[in-house]
Amino acid sequence: MQMRSKRHQGGFTLVEMAVVLVIIGVIIGAVMIGRDVQRNAEYTRIKQKFVDQWVVAYNSYHQRFGAPVGDNQAAPRLMVAGKEYDIDMANNTASKGAICNGSASTKSDQPVTAASQDGDKLRDFMRGAGISLPPGRGEGFEDRYVYLDTNGNPQEIQVCFQWNPAETASGAGNVMVISGLTPDLARSLDQMIDGKPDPQSGAFRQVGLNKRSVGSNADAESMEWKGNNTNKAGSAGAANSNVAGGGDDTDQVITLVAHYKMNQ
């Protein structure tokens, strides 16, 4: 009897391919979830270990001297530096009035970030008062904090304090100026501080937005933080978080500036 050899054709069945695709999808999903969890943990750490600790330092100074940082202790005006912060939005400049450890950067997409070149040193005021500072980037750079944006590029936060005149859209009174925030981080901090990411209300607001007008049709868009993590550094930023910004996953992400209203 003649034996016929049978040829077996190799390959995956549709069921096997479906299983492989499902496994790949699960792996990708797990990686993305892991990244989100890690990023959220970093944002929480920035708030608790850096921003909140600077609030504590500011409050400690005020409780010790009965005046904000840089104010006259003998005849306090209850303003940071004892004066209003004179903002020239047209020329993107500001007179001395903010208290910083050196000068924060000023960019065209960040109307007012921090102090002028001759701003007083925040570190000197705090250490001279015996106030403990957050570690920040280390000795001499306690006002800075470095983190990675969503594209893995380094970003630097800097804090300053200033007095905002009445009718300032980002909040009047004594505020902490926080520059170097990616839109994603800014929204996260706003959510943790105010309970909702609205850049024009509450204690945590975005700098550079026009004051919201009651009944305006633009209110829905202005409720969003300007810019998102697809905007690259140096761009103007999208008007709301749902608009793609034109950057790619290698660009450094655009950064924003926020004012955090102090309680005193």
Side-chain angles (χ1 to χ4, degrees):
M1 183 174 64
Q2 186 178 2
M3 300 293 294
R4 294 181 178 178
S5 61
K6 296 182 179 180
R7 293 184 177 179
H8 296 282
Q9 186 174 0
F12 294 106
T13 66
L14 290 176
V15 173
E16 290 171 330
M17 291 186 67
V19 171
V20 171
L21 291 175
V22 168
I23 293 174
I24 293 174
V26 170
I27 293 173
I28 293 175
V31 170
M32 296 301 292
I33 291 173
R35 287 180 178 176
D36 289 342
V37 170
Q38 184 178 13
R39 187 176 302 121
N40 290 335
E42 174 67 2
Y43 293 169
T44 300
R45 185 160 51 248
I46 289 171
K47 179 182 181 296
Q48 294 178 347
K49 302 296 184 182
F50 185 68
V51 176
D52 287 354
Q53 292 305 307
W54 269 109
V55 173
V56 170
Y58 173 90
N59 289 337
S60 297
Y61 188 100
H62 193 284
Q63 290 168 6
R64 187 163 299 182
F65 297 108
V69 180
D71 196 4
N72 188 326
Q73 299 169 22
R77 296 188 63 192
L78 302 182
M79 296 176 173
V80 168
K83 63 186 74 176
E84 292 191 1
Y85 190 56
D86 186 16
I87 300 171
D88 182 355
M89 296 295 288
N91 297 315
N92 191 25
T93 60
S95 67
K96 181 176 177 180
I99 303 295
C100 293
N101 189 29
S103 178
S105 62
T106 302
K107 302 177 182 178
S108 59
D109 59 317
Q110 300 174 355
V112 178
T113 57
S116 57
Q117 292 293 334
D118 60 348
D120 294 305
K121 289 190 175 182
L122 174 62
R123 181 174 185 267
D124 292 345
F125 275 109
M126 292 294 183
R127 287 174 60 87
I131 306 296
S132 298
L133 299 178
R137 291 195 64 176
E139 185 73 18
F141 297 94
E142 295 90 348
D143 63 325
R144 316 291 175 95
Y145 188 99
V146 174
Y147 67 104
L148 299 180
D149 63 27
T150 50
N151 291 340
N153 296 311
Q155 299 279 8
E156 183 182 73
I157 302 171
Q158 182 179 0
V159 300
C160 303
F161 292 94
Q162 70 186 36
W163 169 274
N164 283 347
E167 302 301 319
T168 303
S170 54
N174 293 314
V175 299
M176 180 194 300
V177 184
I178 312 176
S179 58
L181 304 174
T182 63
D184 198 36
L185 172 56
R187 291 185 181 91
S188 181
L189 291 174
D190 195 6
Q191 180 70 41
M192 286 187 279
I193 291 169
D194 288 335
K196 61 178 181 178
D198 180 351
Q200 290 184 294
S201 69
F204 194 84
R205 303 185 187 184
Q206 183 175 355
V207 174
L209 296 182
N210 294 325
K211 189 172 182 180
R212 180 181 299 148
S213 57
V214 178
S216 169
N217 292 330
D219 280 354
E221 184 173 270
S222 66
M223 292 284 286
E224 296 282 351
W225 281 77
K226 183 179 179 182
N228 58 62
N229 279 34
T230 65
N231 298 127
K232 63 181 179 180
S235 66
N240 63 60
S241 61
N242 298 318
V243 177
D248 58 41
D249 57 6
T250 63
D251 290 321
Q252 190 174 39
V253 175
I254 189 175
T255 58
L256 310 174
V257 184
H259 284 171
Y260 186 3
K261 179 71 183 301
M262 298 292 95
N263 291 328
Q264 48 197 357

